[in-house]
Amino acid sequence: MRPLLCSLVLASLLGPCLACPSPCSCSTKKNGRLLAECAYKDLQEVPEGLSSNVTILTLSANRIGWLGQGSFAEVPEVQSLWLGYNQIGVVEPGAFALLVHLKNLDLSHNKITDFPWQDLRNLSGLQILKMNNNRLAGLSRDAFRSLKDLRSLWLNDNELTTLAEGTFDNLPSLSQLQIFNNPFNCSCKVFWLKKWTERTSVSITKGGSTLCVAPTRLKGRAVTDIPDHHCVAPSVQLTYLSNLDNTVMYDGLTLTLHCSVAGSPPPEIRWKIQTSGRRVEINGPNVARDGNVKQSQEHFLVFKNGTMAIPNFSKEDEGTYTCLAVNDVGTRDVSVNVALAGSENPAEDLLRDDPHAGHFGGRSCYKGDEMDPSGAGEKLVIVYHMPRESKSGAGGAMSQVHLGTLLLVLGIML
């Protein structure tokens, strides 16, 4: 009786450890890891009944088409998960999030178009990730941010047309990357990839097959051969005038700033304005070629040629004016602080109000000066003089005439 009792107790202890679904075969490896071999079993879903201490789970070459949030709830200790050569098209968020011990994940040769990249945040021990031969058309810039131990990343044979700059940052252990056979559009959005490959120690397998499909002039060339002159980071300069041709078109002042930019592709011009009372961002011109203002309520008039005018500039408009030049290679900006004084000596007025305002590297700024973009973060000060004697207004109709004249004069510059 006692030997039988001992056998039953032993069976009850080992039973859960050896639990194995009928289509699979399970065994204990020499290193103590439990292997569940379920490959080539014509399975349409992850089988139930797996032991909780399975560390290697092979589900390759089945007909699994869907992975749900609880598909791997029974195997929280799995370290190697092989799912290649299935028909997986849908991966629900949370499917892999709890597999914190995972070191090897193979999802290659499936039909995945979208993947819950946030699931990888908890998988800091992941070392090998195979997602090649799927239908991925895009990646989150932060998709791999948490994978500090990742050594090998396979993304080849997908439908990636571009990659966000920084995609492979924060991967200190990465030694092998495969991204060939993707239809890359070699616009300047992927120019960073060329520069990254030039300085990285990561082995990029079959780098010559990482070819451009578009644009036409680069079709068939390697991404690493994108000509440097096609992609030039922006440069920006800022100039200003107190009034056009020294003519007062308004009862008050008109502040006119002009932003000159260069780069390839031609940069877009954007403005940021920070005053004491508000923050404004303008991402394009709001004045058409015919002089019509697209946003009639907008106080800041922005033209296509990079000029911005602020009619009737007042104390409320004092603040920091920033011009940004943006293209696919990068962003540059230059700022200027604008203040309005009311005496015959506005510079002394400003210094009296703010003793530090006039000290910017010993430099002065005058009408028509350029703001030097090489001084990172440097902001110069333009001080406007508001005459003590205010001009007499001519009524609303005259203001409209003045506005029309201003738009016409600036429109000539377009």
Side-chain angles (χ1 to χ4, degrees), residues 343-369:
S343 71
E344 294 299 329
N345 194 336
E348 288 184 1
D349 244 13
L350 183 66
L351 287 173
R352 183 174 60 251
D353 295 338
D354 183 359
H356 302 288
H359 301 286
F360 289 85
R363 299 177 55 187
S364 306
C365 193
Y366 298 97
K367 174 182 173 180
D369 275 357

Side-chain angles (χ1 to χ4, degrees), residues 31-248:
N31 56 12
R33 294 180 180 178
L34 183 61
L35 167 65
E37 176 62 69
C38 308
Y40 296 95
K41 301 299 182 182
D42 206 32
L43 298 173
Q44 297 186 31
E45 59 184 15
V46 178
E48 297 181 355
L50 291 164
S51 296
S52 60
N53 57 348
V54 165
T55 54
I56 304 172
L57 177 57
T58 302
L59 290 163
S60 304
N62 282 291
R63 294 195 296 125
I64 300 172
W66 168 85
L67 297 176
Q69 186 173 3
S71 291
F72 305 105
E74 292 183 337
V75 288
E77 297 182 17
V78 69
Q79 297 179 17
S80 297
L81 180 55
W82 311 108
L83 288 157
Y85 292 93
N86 275 279
Q87 300 176 18
I88 300 169
V90 176
V91 182
E92 288 188 353
F96 300 102
L98 300 180
L99 304 182
V100 296
H101 302 288
L102 202 58
K103 294 183 178 180
N104 306 303
L105 176 59
D106 181 9
L107 286 163
S108 62
H109 295 273
N110 279 286
K111 301 177 180 179
I112 301 172
T113 58
D114 192 21
F115 185 81
W117 302 108
Q118 65 273 17
D119 276 19
L120 301 182
R121 293 174 185 171
N122 296 329
L123 310 186
S124 58
L126 196 64
Q127 298 178 6
I128 298 175
L129 176 59
K130 294 185 177 182
M131 301 195 72
N132 53 292
N133 294 87
N134 275 282
R135 300 175 182 176
L136 295 171
L139 296 175
S140 166
R141 181 185 183 277
D142 300 327
F144 312 117
R145 172 173 289 185
S146 302
L147 306 182
K148 305 299 183 183
D149 293 335
L150 190 67
R151 294 186 286 104
S152 182
L153 176 59
W154 299 38
L155 295 168
N156 54 285
D157 293 277
N158 275 283
E159 297 179 7
L160 300 172
T161 58
T162 189
L163 290 169
E165 184 171 359
T167 298
F168 307 122
D169 290 350
N170 303 306
L171 295 176
S173 302
L174 189 66
S175 60
Q176 181 188 31
L177 173 65
Q178 297 195 7
I179 54 174
F180 58 89
N181 290 345
N182 278 289
F184 283 113
N185 181 345
C186 292
S187 69
C188 293
K189 290 183 178 180
V190 297
F191 186 67
W192 71 270
L193 184 59
K194 172 187 175 176
K195 295 300 183 182
W196 182 80
T197 58
E198 291 173 350
R199 66 177 185 269
T200 186
S201 60
V202 176
S203 173
I204 303 176
T205 308
K206 294 185 179 180
S209 298
T210 309
L211 304 179
C212 305
V213 172
T216 303
R217 67 180 184 276
L218 297 177
K219 186 175 181 179
R221 296 183 65 170
V223 172
T224 53
D225 290 338
I226 300 175
D228 288 353
H229 68 271
H230 281 273
C231 303
V232 180
S235 62
V236 56
Q237 290 182 331
L238 191 59
T239 57
Y240 76 97
L241 297 171
S242 59
N243 270 305
L244 293 176
D245 299 327
N246 294 320
T247 301
V248 178

